[in-house]
C-alpha cells in the first residue's frame, strides 16, 4: 500500500528533474550561454550556467598549469579540519565523506597547486577551486570511485577552510545525469 502511494510522488519528482535537465541543456545550447562559455574559457574558467539565478564559474587548474590566482594559505585550522573530516585516520569513513588515500600529502598538494587555479565565488562568499592533480589522490564518495580531482575551499583572503578529493557534489550530479 505504501509503495503504491509513493509511486506518483516519485514519478512527479522524476519528471521535475527531467524538465530541469532539459531546461538547463536548452539554455547551455543558447548563443548567450555559448558566449559566456567562450569568455570564461579565455580567462581559464569554466562556465557552469546559472545556479540559484546566478551565473556560476569554476576555475580549474590542471597539474602545474593554470592561471595564477590569489595566494592560498593552509593554516593549522584548515589542516585540522581536513585531517578530521577527509582522511581515514579521522572521521571520513564514519561520516561517509570523501577522503584522501593514506600517504597522500594534501598539505603539499594545496601548497603546490591551489594558488595556480582561479577560484569561483560561492553564494556564501567562500572561494572554490577545482584541481586535477593528474593521479589518484583519494576516494570521491559522490561517485564512489577513486579520483584525481581535488576541491579546495578558501575564504576571500585565501585561507583554506577545507579540501577534499573529488569534484563538488553539484558537478558530480550533472556528470551522473550526462552519463
Amino acid at each position: 500500500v505504501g509503495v503504491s502511494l509513493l509511486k506518483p510522488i516519485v514519478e512527479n519528482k522524476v519528471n521535475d528533474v527531467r524538465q530541469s535537465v532539459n531546461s538547463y541543456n536548452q539554455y547551455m545550447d543558447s548563443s548567450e550561454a555559448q558566449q559566456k562559455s567562450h569568455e570564461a574559457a579565455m580567462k581559464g574558467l569554466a562556465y557552469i550556467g546559472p545556479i540559484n539565478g546566478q551565473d556560476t564559474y569554476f576555475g580549474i587548474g590542471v597539474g602545474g598549469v593554470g592561471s595564477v590566482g590569489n595566494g592560498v594559505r593552509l593554516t593549522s585550522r584548515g589542516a585540522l579540519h581536513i585531517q578530521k573530516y577527509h582522511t581515514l585516520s579521522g572521521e571520513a569513513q564514519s561520516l561517509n565523506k570523501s577522503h584522501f588515500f593514506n600517504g597522500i600529502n594534501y598539505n603539499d598538494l594545496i601548497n603546490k597547486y591551489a594558488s595556480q587555479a582561479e577560484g569561483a565565488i560561492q553564494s556564501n562568499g567562500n572561494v572554490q577551486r577545482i584541481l586535477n592533480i593528474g593521479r589518484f589522490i583519494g576516494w570521491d564518495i559522490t561517485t564512489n570511485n577513486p579520483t584525481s580531482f581535488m576541491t579546495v575551499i578558501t575564504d576571500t583572503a585565501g585561507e583554506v577552510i577545507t579540501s577534499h578529493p573529488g569534484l563538488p557534489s553539484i558537478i558530480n550530479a550533472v556528470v551522473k545525469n550526462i552519463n
Side-chain angles (χ1 to χ4, degrees), residues 59-167:
I60 301 178
V62 182
V65 180
S67 302
V68 176
N70 294 330
V72 173
R73 294 178 319 285
L74 181 61
T75 63
S76 59
R77 181 175 163 199
L80 286 172
H81 177 91
I82 296 166
Q83 192 280 323
K84 181 175 181 180
Y85 294 106
H86 298 290
T87 66
L88 291 177
S89 62
E91 300 175 22
Q93 269 188 313
S94 64
L95 296 175
N96 205 28
K97 292 195 174 265
S98 296
H99 58 271
F100 291 98
F101 290 144
N102 288 335
I104 295 295
N105 188 331
Y106 53 84
N107 294 347
D108 286 349
L109 295 176
I110 290 170
N111 290 330
K112 184 173 181 181
Y113 297 121
S115 290
Q116 297 178 17
E118 294 290 334
I121 298 178
Q122 299 178 301
S123 60
N124 62 6
N126 290 334
V127 180
Q128 179 179 68
R129 293 170 176 83
I130 303 170
L131 313 168
N132 186 348
I133 304 303
R135 61 186 165 90
F136 289 142
I137 59 165
W139 192 261
D140 186 338
I141 201 71
T142 307
T143 62
N144 207 26
N145 283 303
T147 184
S148 63
F149 287 95
M150 179 177 180
T151 299
V152 179
I153 307 295
T154 67
D155 61 19
T156 54
E159 186 174 310
V160 173
I161 297 169
T162 189
S163 179
H164 60 82
L167 296 170

Side-chain angles (χ1 to χ4, degrees), residues 159-177:
E159 186 174 310
V160 173
I161 297 169
T162 189
S163 179
H164 60 82
L167 296 170
S169 58
I170 184 79
I171 291 178
N172 277 324
V174 171
V175 169
K176 281 185 176 181
N177 283 328

